[in-house]
Amino acid sequence: MRHLARLADYCSITNMHTKNLAIVWAPNLLRSKQIESACFSGTAAFMEVRIQSVVVEFILNHVDVLFSPKLSSVIRDGAGEPL
């Protein structure tokens, strides 16, 4: 995720900002067997992928906070000082 966030820093050159990266990578990062099954119609599958891309975009926009060592230690310890 940090790598993709770093790629977004070069969006002025690549035109791959967080939204575009999320659209491309979300189906692979948040793979869903439901979408791959035949029971999902085109519209339902599209909505599921859209939700996935919103989640990945959020993660990319907040990668420093979500993957910070301080947050990791608070989660690992189960309690701690507030962030």
Side-chain angles (χ1 to χ4, degrees):
M1 290 309 249
R2 287 183 184 171
H3 175 70
L4 292 177
R6 271 187 250 123
L7 285 176
D9 291 340
Y10 296 96
C11 66
S12 62
I13 298 166
T14 64
N15 201 29
M16 291 299 286
H17 34 75
T18 55
K19 185 172 186 143
N20 287 346
L21 289 167
I23 290 168
V24 171
W25 283 97
N28 293 306
L29 294 172
L30 301 176
R31 191 170 196 144
S32 171
K33 291 192 184 279
Q34 288 178 327
I35 292 175
E36 294 172 2
S37 72
C39 68
F40 253 70
S41 69
T43 304
F46 175 76
M47 290 306 295
E48 184 74 17
V49 171
R50 187 168 172 356
I51 291 167
Q52 289 174 340
S53 69
V54 168
V55 169
V56 171
E57 184 179 3
F58 176 84
I59 293 170
L60 291 175
N61 285 326
H62 299 91
V63 74
D64 292 335
V65 174
L66 294 171
F67 297 101
S68 75
K70 187 171 184 175
L71 181 62
S72 296
S73 67
V74 168
I75 292 170
R76 185 176 49 250
D77 296 342
E81 297 177 31
L83 300 173

